[in-house]
Amino acid sequence: MTDQYEPRPEHKFTFGLWTVGNIGRDPFGEPVRQPLSPVELVHLLAEVGAYGVNFHDNDLVPIDATPAERDRIVREFKQALEETGLVVPMATTNLFTDPAFKDGALTSNDPRVRAYALQKTMNAIDLGVELGAKVYVFWGGREGTETDASKDPAGAIKRYREAINFLTEYVIDQGYDLRFALEAKPNEPRGDIFLPTTGAMLAFIETLDHPEMVGVNPEVAHEHMAGLNFVHAVAQAWEAGKLFHIDLNDQAFGRYDQDFRFGAVNLKSAFFLVKFLEDVGYEGSRHFDAHAYRTEDYEGVKDFARGCMRTYLILKEKARQWNEDPEIQALLEEIRADDGSMAAYQGAYSADKAAALRAETFDRVALGQRGLAYERLDQLTVELLLGVR
Ligand code: GCO
Ligand code: MN
Ligand code: MN
């Protein structure tokens, strides 16, 4: 299937080892796919046309590997990267699988667990940097509670801040070229996770010692689990200069954590997301943090990965059409019309401006009577997406 929707390196499509490597275990059922090694997964990703591969420390190096085993694994992985041309733009730490982290890592009540989590993260940062990562993701999957009897939620934020401050200093101390991206999620695996939305993360970042080194990694599914508009979360992050990374997938509102193929559920919001990223010129990875249905074998996993990228590229083409559609653009021009008569009241406050504004008269009734034609605009969008324009 060679056409304009073939992925190319400049599209910056990346997948985590844990995404195409997902073996289809769920709370009710055993794995349905045999695990593939990191080297095999790199080759699978190269075959489907991905640009890069990301990993948690333990996706690559098992938690109980000896130093010699670690070195062999990293050597073989580097060789696979060289053979395929894949790069590692992002890395992260697994602070959630091991039972030691059952009550969180950086916010655990146990100071030994917090210290171990810091040590594990320093080692994982070293590993990520060794393989070329420029972005380091923090997803606090277990940083939360089932009962608020167990933890002081304000104290937990303080612990989290202290840990991120420690780790930014570590990065500076090592002279690494690495930025952090914080990933919010409202729940799963904890009953409630601290800093549950991208907006909460953005506020938290401003309280850090090195806010300039820290941005966000918003994920479609996570905002949709919370019933929120993902495009708005991404736009706020972008506008704040904080969109360092993005996790693309899909998710029906109000369901369990589904991690579906990008565009599989909410095509229209996927369209506005792609349009936003392309319109503003976002230059980071388009990272798919999703996995194939449990019904699939590895051919199905490839279909899944190809589908994520292909849908992104189709939506990118649709965004171009939308931006060039004369009827849509004429409507937008009408909607955004500005005859300049209010220019004197815009921009920064001044006492004169305020006095002039107070003296102005407005036809409030006429303002309320004006139809805005958003029905037509949305229907044109739907028809364009359905391929009849
Ligand atoms: C999830 C998260 C994770 C993180 C990953 C990288 O819901 O499990 O999205 O997949 O993105 O741990 O930090
Ligand atoms: Mn997720
Ligand atoms: Mn994610």
Side-chain angles (χ1 to χ4, degrees), residues 224-384:
H224 285 189
M225 285 168 73
L228 299 174
N229 182 318
F230 185 64
V231 182
H232 292 190
V234 168
Q236 189 187 354
W238 173 262
E239 203 271 337
K242 292 295 184 192
L243 189 64
F244 288 7
H245 201 262
I246 194 163
D247 275 4
L248 302 172
N249 56 11
D250 214 347
Q251 167 78 37
F253 283 76
R255 295 288 175 95
Y256 70 97
D257 182 15
Q258 295 175 309
D259 280 339
F260 286 147
R261 191 180 72 256
F262 181 59
V265 183
N266 302 288
L267 261 184
K268 201 162 125 191
S269 61
F271 165 71
F272 282 114
L273 174 65
V274 171
K275 183 172 135 44
F276 181 85
L277 294 175
E278 297 300 323
D279 284 353
V280 298
Y282 166 73
E283 285 184 342
S285 294
R286 275 76 173 159
H287 174 235
F288 298 104
D289 186 7
H291 45 74
Y293 302 144
R294 200 165 169 270
T295 49
E296 304 308 292
D297 59 11
Y298 279 104
E299 282 313 305
V301 171
K302 290 179 206 168
D303 292 337
F304 146 82
R306 289 195 183 99
C308 285
M309 297 184 282
R310 195 171 162 79
T311 298
Y312 187 101
L313 292 175
I314 294 169
L315 292 175
K316 181 176 166 179
E317 170 58 18
K318 293 284 179 193
R320 191 193 59 76
Q321 285 174 21
W322 199 93
N323 288 338
E324 287 174 9
D325 186 296
E327 209 177 333
I328 290 175
Q329 291 310 312
L331 256 183
L332 284 179
E333 218 166 287
E334 242 174 74
I335 288 164
R336 295 170 185 163
D338 183 347
D339 64 6
S341 59
M342 294 292 119
Y345 309 129
Q346 284 155 9
Y349 174 86
S350 76
D352 285 350
K353 221 183 242 187
L357 177 56
R358 207 191 298 282
E360 178 77 51
T361 53
F362 291 96
D363 186 349
R364 178 180 47 79
V365 175
L367 288 177
Q369 277 170 350
R370 194 176 148 235
L372 300 181
Y374 292 174
E375 284 288 1
R376 244 179 81 208
L377 181 61
D378 188 69
Q379 182 65 21
L380 288 170
T381 304
V382 168
E383 294 192 11
L384 188 145

Side-chain angles (χ1 to χ4, degrees), residues 17-24 31-37 40-41 44 47-48 292-306:
L17 282 179
W18 70 95
T19 64
V20 284
N22 181 283
I23 54 178
V32 294
R33 292 182 283 269
Q34 290 299 315
L36 295 186
S37 71
E40 289 171 312
L41 290 169
L44 183 152
E47 185 186 332
V48 298
Y293 302 144
R294 200 165 169 270
T295 49
E296 304 308 292
D297 59 11
Y298 279 104
E299 282 313 305
V301 171
K302 290 179 206 168
D303 292 337
F304 146 82
R306 289 195 183 99

